[in-house]
């Protein structure tokens, strides 16, 4: 007779509590080590605070220079109809995109390795167990079929704490790269979100520096995609890599690790779609003469010459032979595409929102 129930393991909960405690200690030690200039996570509030406290110096003659032109000397420049993509603007973005495709390749390699082991040990038991069912269209499913499915399985030696340590090492070795890649993909979402906010400065309503940090998660499409994709991909990993134990009379046998071939391929396909989406986002070029900053604080300090709660960016002064573009607390006309631009104006007051 088979009985189903719920079991709670104390050691994993203890490890989770210790990890959360260490995160709190690291955060508190960081707060004590440095002076907090602003509690805002916005790069615009951070830039204003750094400039206000003279920890960041705006560079003159760069009112038409985007983030990818940091190494270019501040000569007069004409407006560009398109701006560089995040891929070309941030070296870190390129590393994140490459790492995402590396995770896709690693997942495909994992699936191929499981298939190779299954073909070698199908129906036998030599330290590993391979199911008798081959991977076919009938055994392929999103959720493992209880009747027939393709998998390999092995048990972890040892009992007690030794066995749990092996479980953590197995899970960390397989799930760690996935967790790190999804965490790093937030960099792409954040810089695209920051650039979209900055480009509101050329719209009718202007750019509001003070924003709710939670609101963009649910209003910005890329942030929303990431918010949904992260738990979904971890759930798919949980369908692919399962640890379990058989219990009889309140006693548990050695832990088993089971890898489901079809579910690993499903995870690989989902990661391929995820990596393709963020690659497209990172390579997409923006239109308009407003220089792209992608949240880079030095570039924002160079482009913003007047800080206010609501800012507009555009044409500010005609000059001979150069014009001036910058920000203001009132709407500005569009820049003249056929003129040379050189910011000779002194910078205005700094507004900080906290």
């Amino acid at each position: 007779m088979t009985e189903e129930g719920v079991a709670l393991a104390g050691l994993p909960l203890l490890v989770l509590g210790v990890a959360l405690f260490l995160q709190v200690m690291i955060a508190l030690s960081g707060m004590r080590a440095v002076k907090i200039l602003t509690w805002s996570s916005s790069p615009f509030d951070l830039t204003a605070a750094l400039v206000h406290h003279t920890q960041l110096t705006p560079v003159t003659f760069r009112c038409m220079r985007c983030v990818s032109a940091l190494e270019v000397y501040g000569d007069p420049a004409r407006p560009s109809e398109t701006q560089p993509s995040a891929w070309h603007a941030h070296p870190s973005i390129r590393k994140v995109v490459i790492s995402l495709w590396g995770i896709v390749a690693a997942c495909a390699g994992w699936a191929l390795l499981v298939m190779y082991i299954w073909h070698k040990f199908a129906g036998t038991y030599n330290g590993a167990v391979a199911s008798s069912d081959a991977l076919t269209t009938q055994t392929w499913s999103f959720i493992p079929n209880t009747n027939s499915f393709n998998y390999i399985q092995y048990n972890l030696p040892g009992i007690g704490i030794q066995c749990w340590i092996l479980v953590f090492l197995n899970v960390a070795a397989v799930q760690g790269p996935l967790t790190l890649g999804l965490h790093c993909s937030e960099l792409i979402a954040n810089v695209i979100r920051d650039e979209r906010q900055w480009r509101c400065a050329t719209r009718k309503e202007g750019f509001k520096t003070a924003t709710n940090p939670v609101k963009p998660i649910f209003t910005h499409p890329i942030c929303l995609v990431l918010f949904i994709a992260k738990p979904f991909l971890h759930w798919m990993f949980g369908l692919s890599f399962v640890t379990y134990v058989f219990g009889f009379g309140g006693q548990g046998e050695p832990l088993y690790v089971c890898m489901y071939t079809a579910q690993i391929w499903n995870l690989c396909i989902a990661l391929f779609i995820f990596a393709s989406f963020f690659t497209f986002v990172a390579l997409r070029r923006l239109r308009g003469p407003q220089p792209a900053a992608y949240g880079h604080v030095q570039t924002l300090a160079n482009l913003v010459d007047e800080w206010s709660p609501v800012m507009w960016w555009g044409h500010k002064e005609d000059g001979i032979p150069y014009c001036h573009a910058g920000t203001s607390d009132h709407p500005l006309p569009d820049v003249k595409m056929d003129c040379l631009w050189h910011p000779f104006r002194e910078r205005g007051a700094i507004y900080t929102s906290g």
Side-chain angles (χ1 to χ4, degrees):
M1 181 177 179
T2 302
E3 295 183 358
E4 294 183 357
V6 177
L8 295 177
L11 187 59
L13 295 177
L14 176 62
V15 173
L16 176 62
V18 171
L20 293 175
F21 176 76
L22 291 176
Q23 287 186 341
V24 172
M25 295 303 296
I26 293 172
L28 291 176
S29 61
M31 292 168 57
R32 291 173 57 88
V34 298
K35 179 182 179 181
I36 307 299
L37 300 181
T38 175
W39 289 102
S40 174
S41 60
S42 169
F44 309 100
D45 291 334
L46 176 60
T47 303
L50 290 173
V51 174
H52 178 71
H53 291 276
T54 66
Q55 295 192 15
L56 182 66
T57 304
V59 180
T60 57
F61 313 127
R62 304 191 66 86
C63 72
M64 278 295 167
R65 298 295 185 182
C66 61
V67 62
S68 62
L70 289 176
E71 304 299 327
V72 179
Y73 184 72
D75 293 329
R78 294 186 184 275
S80 175
E81 295 183 356
T82 58
Q83 300 300 318
S85 63
W87 171 278
H88 294 94
H90 273 276
S92 299
I93 296 295
R94 296 193 287 271
K95 296 178 182 178
V96 171
V97 172
I98 293 173
S99 67
L100 288 178
W101 285 107
I103 294 174
V104 175
C107 189
W110 178 28
L112 292 174
L113 178 62
V114 171
M115 293 179 67
Y116 169 78
I117 296 175
W118 181 87
H119 282 289
K120 189 173 182 179
F121 298 101
T124 64
Y125 181 79
N126 289 319
V129 173
S131 66
S132 57
D133 300 304
L135 183 61
T136 63
T137 55
Q138 287 73 27
T139 59
W140 195 306
S141 62
F142 185 78
I143 296 177
N145 192 336
T146 56
N147 297 323
S148 60
F149 47 89
N150 182 267
Y151 68 91
I152 65 170
Q153 174 184 284
Y154 61 93
N155 67 304
L156 298 174
I159 57 175
I161 188 67
Q162 297 177 358
C163 189
W164 279 114
I165 292 176
L166 290 176
V167 170
F168 290 138
L169 292 177
N170 275 260
V171 174
V174 182
Q175 193 175 14
L178 173 64
T179 303
L180 183 62
L182 293 178
H183 180 72
C184 291
S185 63
E186 292 182 11
L187 174 63
I188 302 177
N190 290 341
V191 298
I192 298 298
R193 176 202 63 197
D194 295 338
E195 183 59 24
R196 168 178 272 196
Q197 292 177 342
W198 163 239
R199 304 194 83 75
C200 289
T202 56
R203 299 178 182 176
K204 182 179 180 180
E205 63 274 12
F207 163 57
K208 297 180 180 179
T209 56
T211 57
N212 188 334
V214 179
K215 184 178 178 181
I217 299 177
F218 302 99
T219 58
H220 195 285
I222 299 177
C223 295
L224 187 60
V225 167
L226 185 61
F227 181 75
I228 297 174
K230 290 178 69 175
F232 181 74
L233 290 173
H234 280 293
W235 176 62
M236 292 190 68
F237 172 83
L239 296 177
S240 309
F241 188 92
V242 179
T243 59
Y244 64 93
V245 61
F246 290 109
F248 300 95
Q251 299 296 324
E253 289 191 346
L255 284 165
Y256 291 88
V257 175
C258 192
M259 301 181 184
Y260 298 97
T261 312
Q263 282 64 45
I264 297 175
W265 281 116
N266 292 339
L267 176 62
C268 184
I269 294 172
L271 287 172
F272 177 85
I273 297 173
F274 182 82
S276 299
F277 173 77
F278 274 90
T279 301
F280 169 78
V281 170
L283 291 175
R284 182 173 176 269
R285 300 190 65 178
L286 304 172
R287 296 188 177 276
Q290 184 181 3
Y294 291 107
H296 188 260
V297 292
Q298 182 62 67
T299 304
L300 289 172
N302 300 341
L303 297 176
V304 179
D305 56 353
E306 292 184 25
W307 293 87
S308 59
V310 182
M311 294 187 297
W312 285 264
W313 182 91
H315 177 88
K316 297 190 75 172
E317 286 185 359
D318 288 318
I320 301 176
Y322 310 122
C323 299
H324 169 65
T327 56
S328 178
D329 59 357
H330 59 271
L332 296 171
D334 296 337
V335 297
K336 301 176 180 179
M337 301 298 294
D338 57 343
C339 293
L340 287 174
W341 298 83
H342 218 334
F344 285 110
R345 282 191 56 163
E346 294 185 359
R347 294 182 175 267
I350 298 295
Y351 165 82
T352 57
S353 59

